[in-house]
Amino acid sequence: MTDYYKTPQECLSGINACYNLIRSQLGGNGFWLATECTTDLMILNQSMQYNATLDISPTKPAIASTIWQYSYMGVSRTNYMFAAIDRAVADGCFSEEEALPLRGELTVLRSFFYYMLTCTFGDVPFYTEEVTQQNRKAIASLPRMSADATR
């Protein structure tokens, strides 16, 4: 393991890194094309704009694959930070009371990533544990969970 994430401030720096993935998803033109240019009021039909013709899928090299990739990266990072906070509290590095606001912020962040996934793809695989070498294969083969149950 690491000697980092032993104080609330160090854990907060890890949580702040989870926010970068939100900008990666929403910051470019791709998200706007996928959400705004495919309505009945507007369509952008250009040869290289898959999303603008309602061809949205995680298997296409367009914004949908970015949403899938960055949302699951965000889920993985938030799960890692939950585990790091649990380890720090168990080691006596800081108190459960100090951990509460950090866990609350992580819960909201992870919920956002799952919300993006379920809004875009419907049913998606759901997990809340830290990815390790031992459980990586099991997590990668999870079935899709209903969007309603995920939310």
Side-chain angles (χ1 to χ4, degrees):
M1 281 289 141
T2 179
D3 288 334
Y4 203 66
Y5 303 127
K6 298 295 182 189
T7 68
Q9 293 76 23
E10 290 174 351
C11 290
L12 190 57
S13 73
I15 293 169
N16 288 340
C18 298
Y19 283 97
N20 292 339
L21 298 166
I22 295 172
R23 185 181 351 174
S24 299
Q25 289 182 68
L26 306 180
N29 266 351
F31 188 76
W32 178 78
L33 288 171
T35 56
E36 297 297 326
C37 291
T38 58
T39 68
D40 57 347
L41 301 175
M42 176 180 190
I43 185 165
L44 181 62
N45 194 4
Q46 295 177 352
S47 62
M48 295 304 294
Q49 299 296 336
Y50 293 114
N51 292 319
T53 57
L54 293 175
D55 194 13
I56 296 175
S57 162
T59 61
K60 303 280 186 193
I63 192 63
S65 63
T66 303
I67 291 171
W68 185 273
Q69 177 186 3
Y70 285 116
S71 290
Y72 272 115
M73 206 181 298
V75 167
S76 180
R77 286 185 187 178
T78 55
N79 289 345
Y80 175 83
M81 288 310 303
F82 270 112
I85 291 167
D86 290 345
R87 284 190 291 271
V89 170
D91 291 346
C93 297
F94 58 91
S95 70
E96 187 67 44
E97 187 175 293
E98 292 172 297
L100 270 175
L102 301 173
R103 286 190 183 121
E105 188 169 357
L106 282 170
T107 300
V108 171
L109 269 170
R110 184 171 58 196
S111 298
F112 171 80
F113 291 121
Y114 274 120
Y115 182 74
M116 289 295 295
L117 285 163
T118 57
C119 283
T120 308
F121 305 108
D123 300 347
V124 295
F126 179 83
Y127 71 100
T128 58
E129 57 273 351
E130 175 184 17
V131 178
T132 64
Q133 199 62 29
Q134 293 76 27
N135 70 3
R136 181 181 307 258
K137 197 178 262 187
I139 289 173
S141 61
L142 284 171
R144 291 179 181 249
M145 184 170 142
S146 111
D148 289 339
T150 300
R151 290 178 185 162

